[in-house]
């Protein structure tokens, strides 16, 4: 049932272009003229969106905050489900609450969902298991269509969550008059290309395996990103610590000099996730601060980024250039591959890492 792969995680990483294409077929009009979300997905009159989840699903929500705010101009709160109801969140009756979960059974996310019922205009869930408790108890459940995910480390569920959240942010932008039909069509065309681009990114497995052989020697690894790549840095670190047991942290690159830079020396690999976008130069200057302290930089960027900033780095991984909005979905692939190959190099149990369960049904 692993389809010729050594691990479910490897199979699920490789399945991403296919399941993403399926999700797009489901949620886009067949002639690509627009979105085909259920009619209830109408953001007219919605004043705020509250996104709640745990773990990797929470990090998908953190990426989505950038999209909803930058593209749709809609204010967003993002909460870790286990914290949400204990901070007595102030909820607007015109707001939507959106719960993201692969399993749909995560106890904290379900408790958070029950906490908002009757206090917001609509309770929406983005779930991979359509028969789950979270799906059943929400006003509207949108399936992520990633297919069954067995590996404890979430991979294809994450990129499908991101894709659906991107479509919701685009719908919000269109409903709020922030996106012309032409701009929407351009974004949808870029999304349609994404499975092909991901296939290309999956080819770099050998390069990643070589780099991972050295990462496996490290005690600590840092991930840096700015803007919507900051949550990806957090996801890279989460994935790596989860399956390789190497201590890893993600930081917003601009935050480095406020403390974490003290950790940098020649033994600390620093993985910089930086597409050549509007924030690139700022991230590169943070990267140079790392190199000045002898940190070993792995730059993950596109060909232009690696060409412009590659001097003096330890290693690089080059991805195709994509619509900046979609970069977090594409950059999930090297994050997953790095974690996978580092765990393989260390000989840990990739699909069943110690102390972890696929579905966390206790609070
Ligand atoms: O089933 P859920 O999406 O609600 O699970 C949430 C987290 O437990 C999950 O994403 C966890 O962080 C993963 N093991 C990360 O790879």
């Amino acid at each position: 049932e692993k389809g010729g792969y050594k691990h479910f995680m490897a199979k699920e990483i490789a399945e991403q272009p296919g399941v993403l294409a399926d999700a797009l077929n489901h949620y886009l009009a067949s002639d690509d003229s627009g979105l085909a979300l259920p009619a209830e997905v109408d953001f007219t009159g919605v004043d705020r969106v509250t996104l709640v989840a745990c773990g990797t699903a929470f990090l998908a929500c953190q990426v989505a905050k950038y999209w909803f705010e930058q593209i749709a101009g809609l204010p967003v709160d993002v909460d870790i489900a286990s914290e949400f109801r204990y901070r007595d969140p102030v909820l607007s009756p015109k707001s939507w609450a959106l719960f993201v979960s692969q399993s749909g059974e995560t106890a904290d996310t379900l408790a958070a969902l029950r906490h908002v019922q009757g206090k917001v205009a609509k309770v929406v869930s983005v779930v991979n298991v359509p028969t789950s408790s979270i799906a059943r108890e929400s006003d509207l459940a949108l399936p992520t269509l990633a297919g069954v995910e067995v590996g404890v480390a979430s991979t294809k569920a994450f990129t499908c969550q991101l894709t659906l959240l991107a479509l919701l942010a685009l719908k919000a932008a269109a409903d709020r008059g922030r996106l012309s039909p032409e701009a929407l069509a351009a974004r949808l065309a870029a999304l349609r290309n994404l499975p092909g681009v991901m296939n290309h990114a999956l080819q770099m497995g050998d390069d990643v395996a070589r780099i991972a052989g050295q990462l496996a020697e490290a005690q600590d690894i840092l991930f840096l990103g700015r803007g919507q790549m900051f949550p990806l840095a957090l996801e890279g670190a989460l994935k790596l610590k989860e399956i390789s047991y190497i201590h890893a942290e993600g930081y917003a690159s601009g935050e480095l000099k406020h403390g974490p830079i003290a950790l940098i020396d020649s033994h600390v690999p620093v993985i910089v996730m930086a597409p050549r976008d509007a924030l690139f130069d700022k991230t590169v200057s943070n990267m140079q601060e790392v190199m000045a302290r002898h940190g070993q930089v792995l730059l993950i960027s596109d060909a232009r980024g690696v060409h412009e900033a590659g001097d003096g780095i330890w290693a690089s991984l080059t991805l195709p250039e994509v619509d900046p909005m979609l970069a977090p979905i594409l950059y999930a692939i090297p994050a997953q591959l790095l974690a996978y190959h580092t765990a393989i190099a260390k000989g840990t149990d990739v699909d069943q890492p110690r102390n972890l369960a696929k579905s966390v049904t206790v609070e």
Side-chain angles (χ1 to χ4, degrees):
E1 63 206 61
K2 290 182 195 149
Y5 291 90
K6 264 176 85 181
H7 300 97
F8 282 108
M9 185 180 176
K11 171 172 174 269
E12 289 160 4
I13 289 172
E15 278 171 353
Q16 289 177 107
V19 293
L20 211 98
D22 292 345
L24 291 173
N25 284 336
H26 186 84
Y27 287 115
L28 299 189
S30 50
D31 61 356
D32 274 0
S33 59
L35 296 158
L37 289 159
E40 298 150 87
V41 182
D42 183 344
F43 287 88
T44 317
V46 176
D47 65 355
R48 179 170 282 274
V49 178
T50 300
L51 299 166
V52 184
C54 298
T56 283
F58 165 73
L59 299 175
C61 295
Q62 283 210 316
V63 174
K65 178 178 169 75
Y66 288 86
W67 293 335
F68 275 102
E69 296 195 335
Q70 291 177 342
I71 300 166
L74 188 56
V76 167
D77 288 319
V78 185
D79 267 279
I80 295 171
S82 58
E83 290 293 322
F84 179 66
R85 63 197 199 286
Y86 302 115
R87 73 168 174 89
D88 297 326
V90 179
L91 296 164
S92 155
K94 292 186 190 161
S95 70
W96 282 14
L98 221 145
F99 298 86
V100 181
S101 175
Q102 187 287 126
S103 63
E105 300 297 346
T106 299
D108 281 312
T109 311
L110 183 58
L113 184 153
R114 289 175 177 158
H115 181 82
V116 305
Q117 272 165 340
K119 298 181 185 135
V120 296
K122 203 187 284 283
V123 176
V124 182
S125 59
V126 167
V127 282
N128 200 38
V129 181
T131 52
S132 60
S133 308
I134 289 174
R136 277 186 279 112
E137 295 194 26
S138 40
D139 300 326
L140 173 67
L142 298 168
T144 42
L145 305 168
V148 176
E149 189 181 70
V150 178
V152 164
S154 186
T155 53
K156 60 177 182 167
F158 177 64
T159 43
C160 285
Q161 285 161 354
L162 284 175
T163 302
L164 186 47
L165 290 166
L167 296 178
L168 291 173
L170 291 174
K171 181 66 167 67
D175 290 346
R176 292 164 61 81
R178 294 268 193 147
L179 198 64
S180 67
E182 298 73 36
L184 175 63
R187 287 247 132 99
L188 297 184
L191 264 163
R192 281 283 192 195
N193 279 332
L194 197 56
V197 175
M198 280 182 140
N199 258 323
H200 193 88
L202 286 166
Q203 309 300 312
M204 62 188 183
D206 290 347
D207 290 346
V208 175
R210 185 176 40 78
I211 291 167
Q214 295 194 50
L215 290 180
E217 308 290 317
Q219 295 271 329
D220 305 282
I221 298 178
L222 302 187
F223 285 76
L224 301 183
R226 197 179 263 270
Q228 49 175 19
M229 301 311 290
F230 167 40
L232 255 287
L234 298 173
E235 168 64 2
L238 174 63
K239 212 98 294 173
L240 188 75
K241 66 187 133 190
E242 187 174 28
I243 58 168
S244 77
Y245 316 145
I246 295 175
H247 173 241
E249 298 296 337
Y251 289 104
S253 17
E255 189 61 13
L256 199 69
K257 56 171 104 34
H258 299 285
I261 200 162
L263 298 170
I264 305 289
D265 64 22
S266 60
H267 303 293
V268 180
V270 179
I271 301 176
V272 180
M273 308 182 89
R276 179 72 188 84
D277 60 13
L279 301 175
F280 182 73
D281 292 340
K282 294 223 158 107
T283 308
V284 166
S285 79
N286 302 132
M287 185 178 106
Q288 281 158 350
E289 289 158 8
V290 167
M291 294 190 324
R293 275 113 192 142
H294 311 291
Q296 301 298 306
V297 168
L298 163 59
L299 175 62
I300 308 180
S301 186
D302 44 51
R304 269 198 307 153
V306 172
H307 175 74
E308 284 174 32
D311 278 354
I313 61 175
W314 160 53
S316 63
L317 288 171
T318 306
L319 289 166
E321 274 189 56
V322 283
D323 178 336
M325 179 190 179
L326 306 182
I329 310 178
L330 179 63
Y331 281 59
I333 294 210
Q336 297 162 354
L337 290 174
L338 281 167
Y340 178 76
H341 288 287
T342 305
I344 296 294
K346 290 204 71 178
T348 51
D349 186 342
V350 173
D351 285 333
Q352 288 288 324
R354 68 186 183 201
N355 308 341
L356 291 171
K358 180 64 182 160
S359 178
V360 182
T361 52
V362 287
E363 290 185 34

